[in-house]
Each structure stands twice: as structure tokens, then as C-alpha cells.
Amino acid sequence: MEDLFGSGAASDDESEDSAAAGPLTDAGWMASQRSPLAVRMRPRTLDDVVGQQHLLGHGSPLRQLAAGAEASGPAGPSSVILWGPPGTGKTTLAHVIARGPGRKFVELSAITAGVKDVRRVMDEALTARDLYKKTTVLFLDEIHRFNKAQQDALLPGVENRWVVLVAATTENPSFSVVSPLLSRSLLLTLKPLTDDDISGLLQRAVADARGLAGRVELSEEALEHLVRLSGGDARRALTALEAAAGVAFGDADAVGPEMPATDDGEPGLAGDGAPDAPVLVELRHTERALDAAAVRYDRAGDQHYDVASAFIKSIRGSDVDASLHYLARMLEAGEDPRFVARRIVISAAEDIGMADPTALQTAVAAAQAVQLIGMPEGRIILAEAVVHLATAPKSNAAYMGINKAIADVRAGYGGSIPMHLRDAHYPGAKQLGHGKSYKYAHDEPHGVATQQYPPDDLVGKDYYQPTANGAERDIAARLERLRRIVRGQ
């Protein structure tokens, strides 16, 4: 089978041999740089995996898979779907499982593989099981890119355990994976790595022979900067570290010839005249290597809905600062500002309502202005609307009122329209009694007439119940007087 790790495996082996023999020489260390740092630092065992401890307990499905043919107990290996954000270890876990003894490991990418490739793997797996008593572990990356027909091609092999499927996805499997495949697999959710996880990983990469082998040192400020900009993504953190180290080495080389020579006549390193002294990676190096944090956001996936949900709930909760954060997060990720504006309009009606009737006016004006102005200036308009809504008094009374009215209509309430309210403008309507005894409101004191407006079975039903917040405090008192007059109470 083609080498799963490509050049990364060779680099790991070289690093391992070098570590066993002693400190790396310059030539040996440079040879190990053929693969990215994130590949070289990939764990070999589950005990080396950073984070995801909730999935790696004793006897867990992943432990059983990694144990390979040596796994004990009557239960066979289970197919799993690994769901989590980028950089949380989905591919890493698959590669650790690949090292399990007594099993054949095959890797496919849903980006390039098709039904023909899947069927070929299934045929080979069936042969390996029947002739060589080997179980094939199939790692399928980006499974959400497979269409329904391609996913259906996996079903016979997974159901009959010709293969043990390890699938990885950044999309919610409930939406991106067919139900039959979900029911035949265990769904394991990976969590974003914590700052402590990322910090420990970076420090390990600095010291490990497979990584930077102690040739650099990280300042506290540089470490904090890398952790913050990684966004919980281990791969991004290691990539940024490698880039920052490259910048630091470049600076050291630029001033190297002017350094004082060492006792043996060789030029010094890192500016202190000491041979092979580690190069210090400072904050300025990390800022030059990585000047902006990755915004974790997928306009067609979970992040689109999760961030929008957090945005609306922050406005509803009157946290103006959190509301502006989520607004910035959406805009920086390239979200359509018109989508944001529509959500703001809905929030104004649903969560502020009559407690501040001007909120809806502001929201609608913002939506129209964003279409007129566009980005990036549109962010200022959206921010003004968000601040207005987040700081406004809140009421969902109008929203709840229409929901109650709709519920009654769907339940069959609301009989015939009272005769005096029916249309009486066409010939013959008056002979039917339409409009008879109707009281014209403007002819009554204060413009309010005492008469029945709802159908008979809804008389006295109160749908709108204003709160004591904002403008609704005054509306509540006025509404009480209006209901008494209209109902003749």
C-alpha cells in the first residue's frame, strides 16, 4: 500500500533515529525539515494526542481501534465518524489508528475519490478478511463532500464489517451524512483545543527532536500571541510557529556576519557569541509571520448558524459588547451584510417590539442603507443598529401575541365574522344584514366605540399582553382603558 504519511513518515523516522543517537547535527536537523512542522509533530500514540480526552478513556472505541488485532474482548471494532472544527485532531487520530497492529489501513479523500474507488476498497477489504483474516480500516476524509450515491456505496462494507470506517468531517453529520450510514456508525464529537492545549503543544514542538529540536526559544509574549491567533487550531498554531521561527532565523542570519567569532573561529549565533545558541523568537517575529487571527466561520455550515444565533441572543440579552463581537466575527468572515441586516430587522420586531417602536425603524433604515452604501462602510451602519437594539428595552409581547392568535386559528377557533363587521359595499349586502348596527369609531367620544369585534368564541380573549418595559409601560395603561371601552366593561 502507498505510504500513508508520504514524506512526513520519512521525516519522523529520521528525527527518531537522530534523537536516539543524540543531539541533532545541523545537517540532520535540516534534513528533517522537508515536511511541515505540523506533520512532523503528529502523535504516534493516543497518549501523545493533545486534547479530546473525553474520547480517549480506557476501553473507548478509539482505544479499541488503535489497539488493532490486540484489542481484547468479544466486541468488534466500531465504525466512527469524527466531527469537529479544523485542527482538532481528526486526521491525527486516524493516523494513530493506522499504526494499530494486525490491520490494513486505507486512506481516501472525498475530494478526489469516487464510487469506483470505494467499491475497489470494499472488494480488497473482503479479500483481506476472507483470505488473510485482516480487518481493513478505511479513513475517509471530508466525508461531507460525498454525495448520497457515494455514501450509499459505503453501506454494505460498513454493515457487514468488510471495513471499519473512520470518517472525518467539519460539517454537522446530521445534515451532511446519510441516515443509514449514521445509524451504522458512532458519532464522536471533537472539541476545540484549549489555550493550555495549544501552549503545551507549541512548547513541545520547540523542544522535540521531530520539531525545532531546541534550536529556538519562545518568549512569553510570542507564545501568548501564537496561542491567541491559533483559534484552537493545532495545525494553524504549529504552522505559525514554524513561520515565526523562519523570521527569527532570517533576522539572525542578517546580523550573523557582524557577530563576534567563537573560540574556534566559527561565527556565533543568536547574537550572543555562543555556538549553536538557540534563536529567540520574539513577539515581533510572530507579528510579522502572522498578523491576523483565523476567523472560524463557514457560511454554509454550523458556524454560520451558531454565530448568527449567538449574535441574536446577545442582542436579546442586552449585551452590547458581545453583540458587536459577533457582528465583527460575521463581517470579518465575509458574511453577506444583507443577511446580517435581515437578522437585525427580525430581532427588532421579535425582541424589542413595542417597548421601543423606533428600533424597527432603525433596523429597516440600516438594512436599506447597507444596500445603498455597501461594505466596508456598511459595518458602521450595522453597528449603530446593533447598539440601538442591544441597549433598547425588550419585549416579545407582539411576537407572542401573533403566535397565540395563530395557535387558536389552527385549533379551529374563530367562528363567523359578526354581521355588523361584514362588507356592505356591494349590492344586496345590506339585505343580508351586512354592516347593520355598525358603529363608526370616529363618531364616538375619543374615537373608540363599544361594540364586538372578534368572533363569538373569542370574545374577551387577550392576545397582546404588554410588558412594563420601555414604551410598553404607557401602552399597557392605555390598552387597559381601550379594552374596557370597547368591551363595555
Side-chain angles (χ1 to χ4, degrees):
M1 185 180 69
E2 183 180 353
D3 182 10
L4 171 66
F5 294 94
S7 60
S11 298
D12 288 348
D13 293 341
E14 289 163 3
S15 298
E16 205 166 44
D17 294 342
S18 300
L24 282 175
T25 64
D26 284 352
W29 184 77
M30 291 302 293
S32 72
Q33 307 312 295
R34 291 178 297 182
S35 296
L37 180 60
V39 173
R40 302 199 306 273
M41 289 303 299
R42 186 166 283 158
R44 291 187 174 88
T45 68
L46 290 182
D47 293 331
D48 294 334
V49 173
V50 175
Q52 315 309 334
Q53 296 308 306
H54 63 293
L55 300 178
L56 302 177
H58 181 70
S60 66
L62 291 180
R63 289 279 179 187
Q64 294 293 313
L65 281 172
E70 297 176 357
S72 59
S78 301
S79 291
V80 297
I81 296 176
L82 303 175
W83 171 37
T88 51
K90 299 182 293 296
T91 304
T92 291
L93 289 171
H95 286 179
V96 170
I97 291 169
R99 296 176 178 271
R103 286 189 182 148
K104 179 182 177 182
F105 191 89
V106 180
E107 180 177 9
L108 293 177
S109 172
I111 298 175
T112 56
V115 173
K116 182 178 179 181
D117 300 296
V118 172
R119 288 174 178 166
R120 174 181 54 80
V121 171
M122 295 300 171
D123 292 340
E124 293 175 355
L126 187 57
T127 301
R129 187 195 69 174
D130 294 343
L131 296 183
Y132 304 107
K133 308 302 180 186
K134 275 195 172 184
T135 299
T136 297
V137 176
L138 169 61
F139 175 54
L140 182 57
D141 202 10
E142 308 282 353
I143 190 174
H144 58 272
R145 296 182 181 272
F146 260 12
N147 59 35
K148 184 179 184 298
Q150 290 170 316
Q151 292 186 33
D152 285 343
L154 294 166
L155 293 176
V158 172
E159 181 160 14
N160 296 297
R161 202 172 284 166
W162 302 341
V163 298
V164 175
L165 176 66
V166 178
T169 178
T170 57
E171 303 287 340
N172 190 331
S174 298
F175 305 129
S176 58
V177 178
V178 296
S179 297
L181 191 55
L182 274 177
S183 67
R184 290 163 174 80
S185 309
L186 298 177
L187 176 59
L188 304 181
T189 304
L190 281 70
K191 299 178 180 178
L193 301 182
T194 66
D195 287 352
D196 288 341
D197 291 334
I198 298 294
S199 178
L201 178 64
L202 291 173
Q203 294 179 68
R204 184 196 303 176
V206 166
D208 198 294
R210 292 180 296 153
L212 300 178
R215 293 175 63 88
V216 302
E217 288 183 356
L218 266 179
S219 72
E220 191 66 28
E221 294 81 3
L223 177 61
E224 291 177 359
H225 189 245
L226 290 173
V227 170
R228 184 174 68 255
L229 294 188
S230 69
D233 186 326
R235 187 184 302 108
R236 180 175 174 83
L238 291 171
T239 300
L241 170 61
E242 189 171 26
V247 173
F249 271 111
D251 284 356
D253 288 342
V255 299
E258 303 175 4
M259 299 271 179
T262 61
D263 293 340
D264 58 5
E266 294 294 328
L269 297 176
D272 60 1
D276 298 324
V279 172
L280 179 64
V281 178
E282 302 180 67
L283 177 60
R284 59 191 176 92
H285 299 134
T286 62
E287 289 176 336
R288 285 161 59 189
L290 191 72
D291 62 356
V295 180
R296 180 169 292 162
Y297 193 87
D298 183 351
R299 289 178 59 184
D302 290 341
Q303 285 295 314
H304 168 81
Y305 297 104
D306 289 346
V307 176
S309 174
F311 173 61
I312 294 303
K313 289 172 181 174
S314 297
I315 292 176
R316 181 182 299 142
S318 300
D319 191 327
V320 64
D321 305 296
S323 302
L324 287 172
H325 163 76
Y326 291 117
L327 172 64
R329 194 155 159 178
M330 287 188 287
L331 296 181
E332 281 298 294
E335 181 60 82
D336 186 343
R338 294 172 299 179
F339 165 79
V340 179
R342 288 195 297 270
R343 298 306 305 169
I344 291 173
V345 172
I346 295 169
S347 176
E350 178 181 346
D351 295 317
I352 289 89
M354 293 302 294
D356 181 1
T358 66
L360 183 57
Q361 299 171 18
T362 298
V364 172
Q368 294 174 343
V370 165
Q371 294 192 62
L372 178 66
I373 301 300
M375 295 295 286
E377 290 82 0
R379 76 190 190 282
I380 307 170
I381 298 163
L382 293 173
E384 179 179 337
V386 166
V387 170
H388 185 159
L389 268 61
T391 57
K394 304 297 188 293
S395 171
N396 68 346
Y399 171 55
M400 297 302 294
I402 186 61
N403 286 348
K404 291 176 184 176
I406 289 174
D408 276 354
V409 170
R410 290 176 177 174
Y413 292 102
S416 299
I417 296 174
M419 295 296 289
H420 59 279
L421 297 182
R422 297 187 187 185
D423 183 14
H425 82 280
Y426 61 90
K430 290 185 178 180
Q431 284 79 358
L432 297 174
H434 293 192
K436 184 178 181 180
S437 302
Y438 170 67
K439 297 178 181 178
Y440 188 53
H442 294 290
D443 292 339
E444 303 297 320
H446 310 295
V448 182
T450 299
Q451 69 182 336
Q452 178 182 333
Y453 289 96
D456 292 342
D457 57 347
L458 292 177
V459 171
K461 184 82 173 188
D462 295 343
Y463 290 121
Y464 176 53
Q465 297 176 338
T467 68
N469 301 332
E472 276 196 326
R473 185 186 305 110
D474 296 331
I475 292 174
R478 174 173 169 77
L479 178 60
E480 184 179 357
R481 294 195 299 271
L482 289 172
R483 282 175 173 162
R484 283 202 305 265
I485 296 173
V486 169
R487 296 172 182 177
Q489 297 173 347

Coordinates of all heavy atoms in Angstrom, one line a residue, residues 237-282:
A237 N -1.5 26.7 14.7 CA -0.6 27.1 15.7 C 0.9 26.6 15.3 O 1.8 27.4 15.4 CB -0.9 26.5 17.1
L238 N 1.0 25.4 14.9 CA 2.3 24.8 14.5 C 2.8 25.5 13.2 O 4.0 25.8 13.1 CB 2.2 23.3 14.3 CG 2.0 22.5 15.6 CD1 1.7 21.1 15.3 CD2 3.2 22.7 16.5
T239 N 1.9 25.8 12.3 CA 2.3 26.4 11.1 C 2.8 27.8 11.4 O 3.8 28.3 10.8 CB 1.1 26.5 10.1 OG1 0.7 25.1 9.8 CG2 1.5 27.2 8.8
A240 N 2.1 28.5 12.3 CA 2.5 29.9 12.6 C 3.9 29.9 13.4 O 4.7 30.7 13.2 CB 1.4 30.5 13.5
L241 N 4.1 28.9 14.3 CA 5.3 28.7 15.0 C 6.5 28.5 14.0 O 7.5 29.2 14.1 CB 5.3 27.6 15.9 CG 6.6 27.2 16.6 CD1 7.2 28.3 17.4 CD2 6.4 25.9 17.5
E242 N 6.3 27.7 13.0 CA 7.3 27.4 12.0 C 7.6 28.7 11.2 O 8.8 29.0 11.0 CB 6.9 26.3 11.1 CG 8.0 25.8 10.2 CD 7.6 24.5 9.4 OE1 6.4 24.3 9.2 OE2 8.5 23.8 9.1
A243 N 6.6 29.5 10.9 CA 6.8 30.7 10.1 C 7.5 31.7 11.0 O 8.5 32.4 10.5 CB 5.5 31.2 9.6
A244 N 7.2 31.8 12.3 CA 7.8 32.8 13.2 C 9.3 32.4 13.4 O 10.2 33.3 13.4 CB 7.1 32.8 14.5
A245 N 9.5 31.1 13.5 CA 10.9 30.6 13.6 C 11.7 31.0 12.4 O 12.9 31.4 12.5 CB 11.0 29.1 13.9
G246 N 11.1 30.9 11.2 CA 11.8 31.2 10.0 C 12.2 32.7 10.0 O 13.2 33.1 9.5
V247 N 11.2 33.6 10.4 CA 11.5 35.0 10.5 C 12.7 35.3 11.5 O 13.6 36.1 11.2 CB 10.2 35.8 10.9 CG1 10.6 37.3 11.2 CG2 9.1 35.6 9.9
A248 N 12.6 34.6 12.6 CA 13.7 34.8 13.6 C 15.1 34.4 13.1 O 16.1 35.1 13.3 CB 13.4 34.1 14.9
F249 N 15.1 33.2 12.4 CA 16.4 32.8 11.8 C 16.8 33.7 10.7 O 18.0 34.0 10.6 CB 16.2 31.4 11.2 CG 16.4 30.3 12.2 CD1 15.4 29.5 12.6 CD2 17.7 30.0 12.6 CE1 15.6 28.4 13.5 CE2 17.9 28.9 13.5 CZ 16.9 28.2 14.0
G250 N 15.9 34.3 10.0 CA 16.3 35.2 9.0 C 16.9 36.5 9.5 O 17.9 37.0 9.0
D251 N 16.3 37.0 10.7 CA 16.9 38.1 11.3 C 18.3 37.8 11.9 O 19.2 38.6 11.8 CB 16.0 38.6 12.5 CG 14.8 39.3 12.0 OD1 14.7 39.6 10.8 OD2 13.9 39.7 12.8
A252 N 18.5 36.6 12.4 CA 19.7 36.2 13.0 C 20.8 36.1 11.9 O 21.9 36.5 12.1 CB 19.6 34.9 13.7
D253 N 20.4 35.5 10.7 CA 21.3 35.4 9.6 C 21.7 36.8 9.1 O 22.9 37.0 8.7 CB 20.7 34.6 8.5 CG 20.6 33.1 8.8 OD1 21.3 32.7 9.8 OD2 19.8 32.4 8.2
A254 N 20.8 37.8 9.1 CA 21.1 39.1 8.6 C 22.1 39.8 9.4 O 22.9 40.6 8.8 CB 19.8 39.9 8.6
V255 N 22.2 39.5 10.7 CA 23.2 40.2 11.5 C 24.4 39.3 11.9 O 25.3 39.7 12.5 CB 22.6 40.7 12.8 CG1 21.5 41.7 12.5 CG2 22.0 39.6 13.7
G256 N 24.3 38.0 11.5 CA 25.3 37.0 11.8 C 26.7 37.4 11.5 O 27.6 37.2 12.3
P257 N 27.0 37.8 10.2 CA 28.3 38.1 9.9 C 29.0 39.2 10.7 O 30.2 39.2 10.8 CB 28.2 38.6 8.4 CG 27.0 37.9 7.9 CD 26.1 37.9 9.1
E258 N 28.2 40.0 11.4 CA 28.8 41.1 12.2 C 29.0 40.6 13.6 O 29.5 41.4 14.5 CB 27.9 42.3 12.2 CG 27.6 42.8 10.8 CD 26.7 44.0 10.7 OE1 26.2 44.4 11.8 OE2 26.3 44.4 9.6
M259 N 28.6 39.4 13.9 CA 28.7 38.9 15.3 C 30.2 38.5 15.6 O 31.0 38.2 14.7 CB 27.9 37.6 15.4 CG 26.4 37.8 15.2 SD 25.6 38.2 16.7 CE 24.0 38.4 16.1
P260 N 30.6 38.6 16.9 CA 31.9 38.2 17.2 C 32.1 36.7 17.0 O 31.2 35.9 17.2 CB 32.0 38.6 18.7 CG 30.6 38.6 19.2 CD 29.8 39.1 18.0
A261 N 33.3 36.3 16.6 CA 33.5 34.9 16.4 C 33.7 34.1 17.7 O 34.0 34.7 18.7 CB 34.8 34.7 15.5
T262 N 33.5 32.8 17.7 CA 33.7 32.0 18.8 C 35.1 31.6 18.9 O 36.0 31.9 18.1 CB 32.8 30.7 18.7 OG1 33.2 30.0 17.6 CG2 31.3 31.1 18.5
D263 N 35.4 30.8 20.0 CA 36.8 30.5 20.3 C 37.4 29.7 19.1 O 38.6 29.7 18.9 CB 36.9 29.7 21.6 CG 36.6 30.6 22.8 OD1 36.7 31.8 22.6 OD2 36.2 30.0 23.8
D264 N 36.6 28.9 18.4 CA 37.2 28.0 17.3 C 37.1 28.7 16.0 O 37.3 28.1 15.0 CB 36.4 26.7 17.3 CG 34.9 26.9 17.0 OD1 34.5 28.0 16.9 OD2 34.2 25.8 17.1
G265 N 36.8 30.0 16.0 CA 36.8 30.8 14.8 C 35.5 30.8 14.0 O 35.4 31.4 13.0
E266 N 34.5 30.0 14.5 CA 33.2 30.0 13.8 C 32.4 31.2 14.2 O 32.5 31.6 15.3 CB 32.5 28.7 14.1 CG 33.2 27.4 13.6 CD 33.2 27.4 12.1 OE1 32.2 27.9 11.5 OE2 34.2 26.8 11.5
P267 N 31.5 31.6 13.3 CA 30.6 32.8 13.7 C 29.6 32.4 14.7 O 29.2 31.2 14.8 CB 30.0 33.1 12.4 CG 30.0 31.9 11.5 CD 31.3 31.2 11.9
G268 N 29.3 33.3 15.6 CA 28.3 33.0 16.7 C 26.9 33.0 16.1 O 26.7 33.5 15.0
L269 N 26.0 32.6 16.9 CA 24.6 32.5 16.6 C 23.7 33.3 17.6 O 24.1 33.4 18.8 CB 24.0 31.1 16.5 CG 24.7 30.2 15.4 CD1 24.1 28.8 15.5 CD2 24.5 30.8 14.0
A270 N 22.6 33.8 17.2 CA 21.6 34.4 18.0 C 22.1 35.6 18.7 O 21.5 36.1 19.7 CB 21.1 33.4 19.1
G271 N 23.2 36.2 18.3 CA 23.6 37.5 18.7 C 24.3 37.5 20.1 O 24.6 38.5 20.6
D272 N 24.6 36.3 20.6 CA 25.3 36.3 21.9 C 26.7 35.7 21.8 O 27.4 35.6 22.9 CB 24.5 35.5 23.0 CG 24.3 34.1 22.6 OD1 24.8 33.7 21.5 OD2 23.6 33.4 23.4
G273 N 27.2 35.4 20.7 CA 28.5 34.9 20.5 C 28.7 33.4 20.9 O 29.8 32.9 20.8
A274 N 27.6 32.8 21.3 CA 27.8 31.4 21.8 C 27.5 30.4 20.6 O 26.5 30.7 19.9 CB 26.8 31.1 22.9
P275 N 28.2 29.4 20.4 CA 28.0 28.4 19.3 C 26.7 27.7 19.5 O 26.4 27.2 20.6 CB 29.2 27.5 19.3 CG 29.7 27.6 20.7 CD 29.4 29.0 21.2
D276 N 25.9 27.6 18.5 CA 24.6 26.9 18.5 C 23.7 27.3 19.6 O 22.8 26.6 20.0 CB 24.9 25.3 18.7 CG 25.7 24.8 17.6 OD1 25.5 25.2 16.4 OD2 26.5 23.9 17.9
A277 N 23.7 28.6 20.0 CA 22.8 29.1 20.9 C 21.4 29.2 20.3 O 21.3 29.6 19.1 CB 23.2 30.5 21.4
P278 N 20.3 28.9 21.0 CA 19.0 29.0 20.4 C 18.7 30.4 20.0 O 19.1 31.4 20.6 CB 18.1 28.5 21.5 CG 18.9 27.8 22.5 CD 20.3 28.4 22.4
V279 N 17.9 30.5 18.9 CA 17.5 31.8 18.4 C 16.2 32.1 19.1 O 15.3 31.3 19.3 CB 17.2 31.7 16.9 CG1 16.5 33.0 16.4 CG2 18.5 31.5 16.1
L280 N 16.1 33.3 19.7 CA 14.9 33.7 20.4 C 13.8 34.2 19.5 O 14.1 35.2 18.7 CB 15.3 34.9 21.4 CG 14.1 35.4 22.3 CD1 13.6 34.3 23.2 CD2 14.6 36.6 23.1
V281 N 12.7 33.6 19.5 CA 11.5 34.0 18.8 C 10.7 35.0 19.6 O 10.2 34.6 20.7 CB 10.6 32.8 18.4 CG1 9.4 33.3 17.6 CG2 11.4 31.8 17.5
E282 N 10.7 36.2 19.2 CA 10.0 37.3 20.0 C 8.7 37.7 19.4 O 8.3 37.2 18.3 CB 10.9 38.5 20.0 CG 12.3 38.2 20.6 CD 13.2 39.5 20.6 OE1 12.8 40.4 21.4 OE2 14.2 39.5 19.9

